[in-house]
Amino acid sequence: MLGGVWLGLLLLFSQPVWADAAGQAPRISRDAQVLYCSLNWPTDVARLRQMLRDGIALVVRWDLSVARARRYWLNERIGDVEVVRRVVPDMLSHRWLLEDRGSGIVRSVSSLAEAVRFLTRLQHYPVVDRSLLQSGQTYVLDVSLQMYEGEAMDNWWNRWLRKTAFATQVVFKEP
Amino acid sequence: MRLDVMRFLPLIMALALIGLAALLWPAAQGGLIMAWINVGILLVLALLLLQYGVRLLRRRGEPPPGSRLRAKLVIAMVGMLMVPSLLIQLSASQMVERGMDVWFDLRVDTLLERALKLAQGFYDRIDADMKRGLRDYVTDPTLIAAVGAAAPFGMANVRLLEILNKEGWDRIQLFDINERMVADVRRDGLIDVHPVPLSDAARLVMQLGTVSTEIMTEDGAEKAVGYAPILGHKGGVGLMRVELHLPQGVIRSARLVEADYQSYRALEHNRHMIKDLFANAMLFVTLVLVMLASLLALWFARRLTSPIGELAAALHRVTDGDLNVAIPESSQDELGSLARSFNQMAERLRQNAAAIDKAQRDLTHALANSRQRQYILETLLANLHTGVLLIDARGAIRLLNQSLHEILPETVDWRPGMAFRAHCTGALAFLGEFHDGMRGRDEAALQRQFDLAGRHVLVRGARLELSGMAEFSGELIMVDDITELVSAQRHQAWAEVAQRLAHEIKNPLTPIRLSAERLQRRFRDQVEARDVFDSCTHAIVTQVARLQRLIADFSSLARLPRPKIERVRVADIMRDMRELFNAYAGVRVVQPAEALECHCDADQVRQVLINLLDNALAATGGKGPVTLEVREHGPWVEWHVLDDGPGVPEEIRQQVFEAYFSTKASGSGLGLAIARRIAEDHGGELVLLSPHRPTHFCFRLPRTPRQVEE
């Protein structure tokens, strides 16, 4: 019990902040109704793999925000999406439990590479309904990522104090 | 100039804190929130100290009383807390370092690794056994027939029960190619054929045709689930799903081992962060303690130094001369006793100051009176015509005035402080003798008159005695020049004698003269010795006439009237003189400018000039040359009478102006005396400038009436 408290305090106060250089820009794709985003987090994959092998659960939080670009004023926020993914290692069965907090889907995989991809890659992820976008208008897609060990810190102070590990953006024009 | 380190101490401490903050600045990656909190606290403390330091430096003059002591107390108390805190922190850091080494010891690591391997071995064994068993039934004909609906339902169940019992599984499910469950056998014997959807793993097994297992959790219990394809001649025809409930005790232990391992790895992964966290936590506690201690020390120091500050402020006010100070005597401790003592001292000082002030006022008043009296005395002495000499008990000159120098020019070098007796030599010997006479007598006062080479001085002395005060003992000597007084007294006496003599002589002279003339007229022809008779009667008449003139001169001298001063043109007087002495060819009268005027009695001036011209003619035998001229000399008008006669012998030069002194047989000796009297009555003078060749008299009168009055 005390060990858990200690570990919790440790994780609370010693939450490392992952900061990587701005990587590649997100790729935008569309269908008739939805705007999608694909993006890789260019991080130290070997480190992630080692942590997962050591049984440390990892959580990544992607924040995707679409705003209408305005030249002489602040951008107008159109919508934002939060993607929280967690990988929990099961060291006894050599499997990885992949949790998507947004959809509630939980999968168990035996491939560590898949678990790492689950954390570091957004593939064709729906961001915003295109009915909210205007044709010919310029928009900015901001993407930021935070990473936590153990559990995602959803407390208000943690949200306030959290430090972005990765951020990028892309400016696109709605056809 | 002494450098006041205390004024710079807050800035130095602020810089030290900023340096410490820079040292502890968290890394850009992996920074701790606690580290940022500590850095924030350090910077806030540094900012406060910086502000205080700048305010301290900008402040001019002396700091508030007690502030230095308060600062020292705070520094001492905080320092006393900081030193052990830092030592404890260093010790704790070392202990944490050692503890980390012990905690993450290789043996612990190996032990946990082996425990995990053991737990994993259990799962691996379950997995391997399940896969091996599943592979045995992939091509089981009964099962192939069952999934192909070629065998009766009961046969399939029997076969599945055989497998269940043989392999020790807890449940076996059989699905056909269309994922329909065709059989479900459990160890508890219950048969359930409700349709259950296949999981993704099961579908994957069907597609790939391989054996697969997974661990599932249900109601807190774990079970191993295995999937095996049912392969017919033409490939997969169905799927067998088996379940094996894992023993809870073993599973719980295995999961605990896994959890411990994960925790251990997580801690190991954050090992440096733990150390940093611990150090930062300790630093945070230390900083909080230091802040609390500072506040406590500040409160305590303020409480302690407040009376001292009040005392210091009161002392400043007393130093500045404000004695109306009192400090509160609130506490009963040593500070309260000090405050009471200070208040008593201030009260005594107030009383003493009031007494001193009163004495000072009295002294100032007395000094003012003394100065006033001294001023009056000095003014009096300066304007006094009497020479004053004060000699103290030691025989030194204490005081003397200007009139003394004027009366006795020999004393011109005398100064206060000089020995009196040593300087009473020569012409001043009489003063020493007078002083000795004073000291040798019992009387308090002494008065004597001395004749000094044509001058008469009156010396009066008084003894000053004040018992017990030598400064006010001595002799006061006053010297008066009474030459004129004596002369006036003598003149007054002669005038009275002359008047009485003239009165007594003048009365019988006229009958004598008339009788002599009657005798001459009546009996001249009757006497035989007519020559003798004429000679005798003529001698009587002549001598009587001379006596009458003499009596007239006496009367004139005695009853010389006050001059009637009026503005007179000098040229008119000179013109009268020229006409009067026109008969004498040797007399030359130089006519002055017509505008020259003089305030005088014209008749008396004429009398003087006639007297001077008569004397000059007499000296030259009536031939001259005699010169009368007028000169302007400053505020004076001067009449100069010059002749080339034999002149005045040097030995009688001082006597020619005395009354009844004459070198002529028939002279009364009053002419020049009367002339000088007239000059003096006008405020002027008659002097002999040159006794012979030429004999030169100067009759000088002031031009303005003011000077005449003076």
Side-chain angles (χ1 to χ4, degrees), chain B residues 617-629:
Chain B
L617 285 171
T620 57
K623 297 177 182 177
V626 176
T627 303
L628 172 62
E629 60 183 8

Side-chain angles (χ1 to χ4, degrees), chain B residues 446-710:
Chain B
L446 180 64
Q447 176 175 323
R448 281 184 186 171
Q449 186 172 331
F450 295 93
D451 294 331
L452 307 171
R455 288 179 298 153
H456 299 275
V457 293
L458 177 64
V459 182
R460 290 170 290 166
R463 185 177 292 116
L464 303 177
E465 285 181 342
L466 195 58
S467 60
M469 299 185 71
E471 292 292 330
F472 294 94
S473 298
E475 293 81 25
L476 178 66
I477 297 175
M478 292 162 287
V479 181
D480 288 297
D481 187 351
I482 58 170
T483 303
E484 291 183 359
L485 179 65
V486 170
S487 176
Q489 287 175 345
R490 184 182 297 171
H491 178 78
Q492 184 66 27
W494 275 106
E496 289 178 2
V497 170
Q499 276 187 310
R500 292 181 65 88
L501 194 62
H503 179 72
E504 294 297 329
I505 297 176
K506 189 178 179 180
N507 289 338
L509 283 180
T510 301
I512 292 173
R513 184 179 176 181
L514 291 174
S515 298
E517 289 175 350
R518 189 176 180 181
L519 285 173
Q520 198 174 28
R521 283 194 307 269
R522 298 251 338 238
F523 298 103
R524 185 175 181 274
D525 297 335
Q526 297 176 10
V527 295
E528 293 177 355
R530 183 178 292 178
D531 295 336
V532 175
F533 182 80
D534 287 342
S535 176
C536 291
T537 55
H538 181 69
I540 291 169
V541 170
T542 303
Q543 292 303 318
V544 166
R546 195 181 69 83
L547 283 173
Q548 282 180 327
R549 285 201 306 275
L550 184 62
I551 294 302
D553 288 342
F554 275 140
S555 297
S556 298
L557 180 61
R559 295 183 301 176
L560 194 64
R562 296 288 297 172
K564 296 175 182 176
I565 304 298
E566 56 186 2
R567 191 162 66 183
V568 177
R569 294 173 64 179
V570 177
D572 293 342
I573 296 176
M574 294 299 282
R575 202 173 289 114
D576 293 342
M577 288 298 104
R578 189 167 58 187
E579 290 174 357
L580 190 61
F581 289 91
N582 194 25
Y584 297 95
V587 175
R588 187 172 69 92
V589 178
V590 180
Q591 192 65 23
E594 291 295 326
L596 182 60
E597 292 181 341
C598 176
H599 287 78
C600 61
D601 187 334
D603 292 337
Q604 290 189 358
V605 170
R606 286 191 198 94
Q607 183 180 351
V608 172
L609 295 178
I610 289 169
N611 183 276
L612 291 175
L613 288 172
D614 280 344
N615 287 343
L617 285 171
T620 57
K623 297 177 182 177
V626 176
T627 303
L628 172 62
E629 60 183 8
V630 176
R631 299 174 189 171
E632 286 184 70
H633 190 262
W636 305 97
V637 175
E638 295 177 348
W639 283 268
H640 293 268
V641 178
L642 301 92
D643 68 80
D644 288 338
V648 179
E650 191 64 36
E651 59 272 16
I652 62 170
R653 181 175 180 171
Q654 299 294 331
Q655 296 175 291
V656 293
F657 296 106
E658 291 183 2
Y660 315 116
F661 178 81
S662 177
T663 56
K664 295 181 290 187
S666 58
S668 64
L670 294 175
L672 286 177
I674 291 171
R676 186 172 225 183
R677 175 82 178 273
I678 289 171
E680 290 173 349
D681 288 347
H682 278 78
E685 60 182 357
L686 176 62
V687 292
L688 175 61
L689 296 181
S690 171
H692 59 87
R693 301 290 177 184
T695 306
H696 185 179
F697 284 89
C698 175
F699 174 48
R700 180 184 294 149
L701 294 183
R703 296 174 61 186
T704 59
R706 187 178 61 82
Q707 287 175 311
V708 170
E709 290 172 4
E710 287 174 356

Side-chain angles (χ1 to χ4, degrees), chain B residues 148-362:
Chain B
F153 177 73
M155 185 186 295
N157 281 345
V158 171
R159 178 56 182 160
L160 290 178
L161 279 173
E162 287 177 1
I163 296 172
L164 193 75
N165 292 325
K166 180 184 175 184
E167 299 296 339
W169 294 334
D170 294 316
R171 185 178 185 179
I172 300 177
Q173 292 173 311
L174 201 60
F175 298 86
D176 62 8
I177 192 69
N178 296 319
E179 300 183 4
R180 288 182 303 179
M181 188 170 65
V182 296
D184 187 356
V185 179
R186 296 187 181 185
R187 178 168 294 280
D188 51 11
L190 295 174
I191 299 172
D192 188 1
V193 290
H194 292 299
V196 176
L198 285 178
S199 65
D200 292 340
R203 291 193 185 97
L204 191 63
V205 167
M206 284 184 70
Q207 288 176 2
L208 298 178
T210 59
V211 174
S212 175
T213 60
E214 63 180 351
I215 302 296
M216 298 184 70
T217 302
E218 188 177 85
D219 299 331
E222 288 188 9
K223 59 184 178 184
V225 179
Y227 305 97
I230 305 298
L231 300 177
H233 295 292
K234 296 179 182 177
V237 294
L239 176 73
M240 184 173 68
R241 179 179 181 276
V242 299
E243 291 182 3
L244 174 63
H245 293 285
L246 302 179
Q248 289 195 3
V250 178
I251 293 303
R252 190 181 301 113
S253 300
R255 287 297 173 188
L256 285 175
V257 168
E258 182 198 24
D260 290 341
Y261 183 84
Q262 287 176 331
S263 299
Y264 177 80
R265 288 300 176 197
L267 291 173
E268 188 185 31
H269 178 73
N270 295 305
R271 175 177 179 168
H272 294 290
M273 210 164 289
I274 292 170
K275 283 201 307 184
D276 292 344
L277 174 66
F278 188 84
N280 280 294
M282 286 293 295
L283 182 61
F284 174 76
V285 172
T286 302
L287 289 176
V288 170
L289 282 177
V290 166
M291 282 197 297
L292 290 176
S294 300
L295 291 175
L296 189 67
L298 199 61
W299 173 80
F300 179 72
R302 194 182 295 274
R303 184 180 172 82
L304 186 67
T305 59
S306 176
I308 298 174
E310 290 170 353
L311 183 62
L315 281 172
H316 272 295
R317 288 176 59 187
V318 170
T319 306
D320 293 339
D322 181 9
L323 298 177
N324 293 317
V325 292
I327 55 177
E329 305 170 4
S330 54
S331 60
Q332 296 299 321
D333 53 6
E334 288 80 0
L335 289 175
S337 173
L338 190 62
R340 281 190 293 279
S341 300
F342 175 82
N343 287 338
Q344 291 170 3
M345 181 196 73
E347 179 60 29
R348 282 199 298 274
L349 280 176
R350 270 196 297 275
Q351 293 173 356
N352 292 339
I356 291 171
D357 192 42
K358 182 176 181 305
Q360 186 179 9
R361 280 200 303 273
D362 293 343

Side-chain angles (χ1 to χ4, degrees), chain A residues 10 14 19 55 90-91 163, chain B residues 28-29 120 255 258 262 267 273:
Chain A
L10 174 67
S14 67
D90 187 344
M91 302 193 71
K163 191 165 184 179
Chain B
Q29 295 184 358
Q120 285 175 338
R255 287 297 173 188
E258 182 198 24
Q262 287 176 331
L267 291 173
M273 210 164 289

